Amino acid sequence: PPNRLTAFIGVDAGGSHTTVILADSSGKTLARVDGPASAMRPGSGAKSAAIIADTVRRAASQAARELPARWLGVGAAGAGRDIEQEELQEALMATGLADEVRVVSDGEAALRSAFGTEAGMLISAGTGSIAYARDPGGRLHRAGGYGWQMGDEGGGYWLGRRALNAAGAQRDGRGEGSTLGARLLTALGHRDFDDLVRWAATANPGQVASLAPHVLNAAQEGERLAQMIIGEGAAALGDLVRALLTHFRGEGPVPLATGGGLLRPDSPLLIALRANIASDPVALAHRPVDPALGALTLAPGP
């Protein structure tokens, strides 16, 4: 097949979507395709691999390249531990997408895209949240990212869950007034509070996380309760940054990149985070953060 062995693939397997980059041996992007969420959960390697495989095949078709590729790198949410990385790697090898496969966490891939192999830190908030760092000695460290039940503070699920909680409190006359309940009803196309209760009872973490932009919008429009929620989220993200700063003692300001859909420029969460870490020895680095590209750059040289 023409150019088969020169194809390299980088994948960002996230909690809200999957991004695939197919490149040639010089690193030139031949195709970039998005697909459904494929974040890793324990025991779900085959399911994640199937979604990734479908998205990769669409990218190969778009680029008019035949599979298997020479190499496939994946940065996967939920794959911060060896056992999940190995499970997903084996499932991907079984698909025949590439001759070699390497799986790392999405945070490691994002950090790689921002700083290469240089020292630096990354704080990311999307469906979940996590902080990663590479210290001056080249060692990797992480904080947070333990999933919606154990952590992910300041991430999309965390914010969406608090918006739902505010809607319930308002219904009962607890706490201060808020438009968050009305905003969620409108966003979800529901008529009344009972519809919202039924929706929440069966919603998965990704669906709850999809409510986060409405909290950001309310905060941007000056709603006090939404601003309080955003402030608490920013403080939690700041704590992740400070946990990793212990690996950079006396090194001067540490460059800090930001990633994830909730920390885009002008996001109220990013503005609040910037204020929260203002007195810490970090310097916000305006580096492009692209986990799919970071996964691609993990490929061995020719």
Side-chain angles (χ1 to χ4, degrees):
N3 297 320
R4 179 181 76 81
L5 290 177
T6 62
F8 291 79
I9 301 166
V11 179
D12 173 19
S16 59
H17 68 282
T18 297
T19 300
V20 168
I21 296 175
L22 192 143
D24 63 18
S25 56
S26 70
K28 177 186 175 184
T29 296
L30 303 175
R32 185 183 183 106
V33 172
D34 286 331
S38 59
M40 187 59 191
R41 289 188 180 185
S44 73
K47 182 178 179 182
S48 293
I51 296 170
I52 292 169
D54 178 65
T55 312
V56 165
R57 290 183 184 115
R58 287 194 288 116
S61 175
Q62 187 180 108
R65 294 293 172 108
E66 293 192 35
L67 298 172
R70 171 70 185 84
W71 192 87
L72 169 67
V74 179
R81 293 156 295 278
D82 290 345
I83 189 167
E84 278 81 26
Q85 290 174 7
E86 290 164 8
E87 182 188 342
L88 182 54
Q89 186 165 308
E90 288 176 12
L92 286 168
M93 284 299 295
T95 65
L97 294 174
D99 297 335
E100 293 181 61
V101 176
R102 183 179 176 194
V103 176
V104 299
S105 75
D106 58 339
E108 183 177 342
L111 181 70
R112 177 74 177 234
S113 76
F115 297 107
T117 57
E118 299 172 11
M121 293 175 58
L122 169 86
I123 181 75
S124 180
T127 301
S129 67
I130 195 166
Y132 256 88
R134 178 177 282 102
D135 68 25
R139 293 174 294 271
L140 284 172
H141 309 276
R142 61 173 278 176
Y146 301 123
W148 63 281
Q149 291 279 41
M150 288 183 64
D152 282 353
E153 301 89 345
Y157 173 84
W158 191 94
L159 295 175
R161 172 69 180 77
R162 272 151 185 75
L164 289 168
N165 184 254
Q170 183 181 15
R171 170 75 168 193
D172 296 341
R174 296 179 282 126
E176 63 180 86
S178 165
T179 64
L180 284 173
R183 288 172 185 265
L184 300 188
L185 286 174
T186 300
L188 295 169
H190 294 326
R191 291 174 301 173
D192 56 34
F193 180 80
D194 288 345
D195 287 340
L196 186 59
V197 173
R198 279 189 289 272
W199 179 88
T202 58
N204 62 40
Q207 289 172 314
V208 174
S210 73
L211 304 177
H214 304 292
V215 185
L216 295 178
N217 290 341
Q220 209 152 28
E221 292 166 18
E223 177 153 322
R224 179 176 147 76
L225 182 57
Q227 289 175 338
M228 286 174 58
I229 294 171
I230 294 299
E232 291 170 10
L237 295 176
D239 286 343
L240 296 181
V241 170
R242 285 182 282 274
L244 292 182
L245 275 173
T246 60
H247 303 290
F248 293 86
R249 295 186 188 281
E251 301 292 338
V254 179
L256 173 67
T258 58
L262 299 183
L263 292 178
R264 294 191 174 114
D266 299 326
S267 161
L269 186 60
L270 178 56
I271 293 167
L273 174 61
R274 193 179 291 130
N276 184 269
I277 60 175
S279 61
D280 292 302
V282 295
L284 278 175
H286 300 289
R287 304 283 185 98
V289 175
D290 187 338
L293 197 57
L296 188 66
T297 64
L298 290 164

